[in-house]
Amino acid sequence: EGAVRIVRTGAGQWEVDRLTIRDFPLPPEAIPRLISRAFGDTSRRTLQLSLPRGIRRLRVDPGGVTLFTGQDR
């Protein structure tokens, strides 16, 4: 779980603040270290996402992800 934000056209970042592996919740302080080790980059704290062009906003909920295009209302 965590916040996802659009950083530029076609790209987003997911800041993971809660992670469970096989029913075992990881301590929050371990998550940044796990991400940086998994990607071999000690400065990395977020997961990079590729998004379709035109996506301006997204919403994640237990049922899935909703992508929004165009202008915000």
Side-chain angles (χ1 to χ4, degrees), residues 9-48:
T9 301
Q13 288 182 339
W14 178 15
E15 186 173 342
V16 181
D17 58 20
R18 193 159 77 176
L19 181 63
T20 301
I21 299 175
R22 293 187 179 221
D23 297 324
F24 179 76
L26 294 176
E29 60 275 5
I31 295 169
R33 187 173 42 221
L34 177 68
I35 290 171
S36 67
R37 283 188 179 176
F39 291 96
D41 180 352
T42 58
S43 66
R44 180 177 271 191
R45 298 292 181 259
T46 61
L47 298 176
Q48 307 304 307

Side-chain angles (χ1 to χ4, degrees), residues 6 51 55-61 63-69:
I6 308 293
L51 300 170
I55 299 302
R56 300 232 179 211
R57 195 166 54 94
L58 58 88
R59 181 176 61 223
V60 181
D61 60 42
V65 177
T66 305
L67 304 175
F68 298 90
T69 61

